[in-house]
Amino acid sequence: YVGTFLLMFLAGLANAGGLGGGALLTPILLIFFNYDPNKAIMIVYSIVFGGSLGNFFNVALKKNPATGKSFVDFDLSLICMPLMVAGANVGVLLNHVFPPIIVLIGLIGTMVYTGKKVYAKAQKTYEAESNARKEPFLEKNSSPEPKRTSKENLELTVLDKSAGLSSIDQANQTNTPEEKNELQVILEEDKQLFPPAKLKIIGALLAFTVLTMIVKGSKSADSLIGVEYCQTGYWIVFILGMDGSYGFYRKGVQEVEKRLEDKRRHNYNFEGDAFSLTPEIIKSITLLSIVTGIAAGLLGIGGGMVMSPSLLQFGMAPQPLAATAGFFVVQTSFVTLFQ
């Protein structure tokens, strides 16, 4: 009874933060239900998938009031998910091969890594908020500003006209009518809760992954085309599946880079966005996505626990981060559960 309560409580807490919570749930299954580590992780796959799916439907129907966009960053998903799915396939295989002590060490290492990253970000956020509270008090007690001349007041008035404009308004000041319409279309697509073009790519990726698994087969399930488990044909299909995932990754990067280039061409002001992808961030999350996928399959953690601290460091706000990482967890946990 205590173990069941802890599973529900910790799974709910983890899903609220988009973490999946595998590293928290596995010890409960080990201590209270006496499973060995590898079997416990297989059970965690289903718990993480169910919780993350419910959490995704809870946040996916809401828009971020600050931006008018979905809380889920689908551009980030197009880049990360193909590599995370490929990594999850490798991780599940490693889970069957590695001894339990290696899995336990991996779980502990992941929790320590996540704890350090989140604590560092929490400290930084706390300091920033504390300084923000002090500013009004300092301004109130500071010496009055020197009186400005009429010329200085005129210059400040001109500057203030553009200071409060949104990124689209500032872009519209310099764009032609045709360019304004093109930019408007791009920004309207950004505000869709379920962008069809992006979801088609993600859906095709998952369908391709499932089909590859069915064709490949496993130790306990026969291949759809009669491939022998762990024989030459099995590994050929496995490698083809990895190549296909990389192809989806390249497609996602092209889509995202094209949209970024279109925005730059229309003088879009990225400084108005709370978080936006850059070539440097795309390069960084490529390797991170592979590591996250392997950890998700090997340790049953859903992927959010590895990805979230790094996205915090890149400047993503906590609420969109939780929604986006939760969307990652839905897909990686589905792949690992199915396999």
Side-chain angles (χ1 to χ4, degrees):
Y1 291 131
V2 173
T4 302
F5 170 77
L6 288 173
L7 283 176
M8 291 189 295
F9 176 75
L10 292 174
L13 194 64
N15 278 304
L19 296 178
L24 302 174
L25 304 179
T26 303
I28 305 301
L29 292 173
L30 297 177
I31 296 167
F32 289 91
F33 296 93
N34 202 31
Y35 284 107
D36 66 77
N38 298 68
K39 181 67 175 177
I41 286 171
M42 292 182 190
I43 295 171
V44 164
Y45 293 154
S46 62
I47 300 175
V48 169
F49 174 66
S52 62
L53 187 64
N55 183 62
F56 171 70
F57 284 124
N58 183 43
V59 300
L61 299 176
K62 301 174 183 176
K63 284 191 174 183
N64 188 339
T67 62
K69 301 177 183 178
S70 169
F71 278 115
V72 179
D73 192 324
F74 289 100
D75 284 344
L76 194 63
S77 300
L78 288 178
I79 297 172
C80 295
M81 280 318 306
L83 299 178
M84 290 173 70
V85 167
N89 286 327
V90 175
V92 172
L93 287 177
L94 294 177
N95 179 267
H96 291 293
V97 175
F98 284 174
I101 186 64
I102 299 296
V103 176
L104 286 174
I105 291 172
L107 277 171
I108 294 169
T110 301
M111 293 180 74
V112 170
Y113 166 83
T114 302
K116 284 184 175 180
K117 286 276 189 180
V118 172
Y119 179 73
K121 181 64 178 179
Q123 264 193 324
K124 189 175 179 181
T125 304
Y126 176 77
E127 289 173 3
E129 290 177 351
S130 298
N131 292 334
R133 289 194 199 100
K134 292 176 182 177
E135 281 179 5
F137 176 78
L138 293 174
E139 289 176 2
K140 186 177 179 181
N141 292 278
S142 62
S143 57
E145 293 183 7
K147 190 175 181 181
R148 296 187 182 95
T149 64
S150 57
K151 183 180 178 181
E152 288 173 330
N153 284 330
L154 178 61
E155 289 172 351
L156 287 168
T157 304
V158 173
L159 286 172
D160 285 342
K161 285 183 179 179
S162 62
L165 294 177
S166 67
S167 45
I168 182 171
D169 291 331
Q170 292 186 29
N172 282 343
Q173 284 189 337
T174 56
N175 286 336
T176 64
E178 293 78 11
E179 289 174 332
K180 290 178 187 177
N181 291 334
E182 290 177 9
L183 181 60
Q184 190 69 42
V185 169
I186 295 171
L187 296 178
E188 287 299 323
E189 289 176 358
D190 284 346
K191 292 184 178 181
Q192 291 178 328
L193 280 177
F194 301 102
K198 299 173 186 177
L199 288 177
K200 281 180 184 176
I201 297 175
I202 294 171
L205 166 68
L206 294 177
F208 170 80
T209 304
V210 168
L211 180 62
T212 303
M213 291 180 187
I214 295 174
V215 170
K216 182 179 61 178
S218 67
K219 189 175 182 179
S220 57
D222 293 334
S223 163
L224 186 68
I225 59 174
V227 171
E228 292 291 329
Y229 178 67
C230 274
Q231 299 302 311
T232 304
Y234 176 92
W235 294 113
I236 290 174
V237 176
F238 180 82
I239 292 171
L240 289 174
M242 300 291 284
D243 287 342
S245 295
Y246 180 75
F248 278 103
Y249 161 74
R250 291 303 312 161
K251 174 68 174 175
V253 170
Q254 289 173 4
E255 288 288 323
V256 171
E257 288 183 341
K258 180 180 180 300
R259 292 177 66 82
L260 290 175
E261 182 56 37
D262 287 343
K263 287 181 177 180
R264 290 191 196 97
R265 185 163 48 85
H266 291 92
N267 302 312
Y268 179 78
N269 181 15
F270 289 93
E271 292 180 2
D273 294 341
F275 171 80
S276 60
L277 288 168
T278 63
E280 292 75 21
I281 292 179
I282 292 173
K283 189 176 179 180
S284 298
I285 63 175
T286 295
L287 179 60
L288 180 64
S289 299
I290 298 172
V291 174
T292 299
I294 294 174
L298 176 61
L299 308 176
I301 59 176
M305 191 162 281
V306 179
M307 184 68 76
S308 296
S310 297
L311 292 177
L312 279 173
Q313 298 295 323
F314 291 144
M316 201 170 196
Q319 214 168 356
L321 168 62
T324 304
F327 187 49
F328 293 163
V329 174
V330 172
Q331 297 167 81
T332 53
S333 58
F334 168 74
V335 169
T336 50
L337 176 63
F338 188 88
Q339 185 161 335

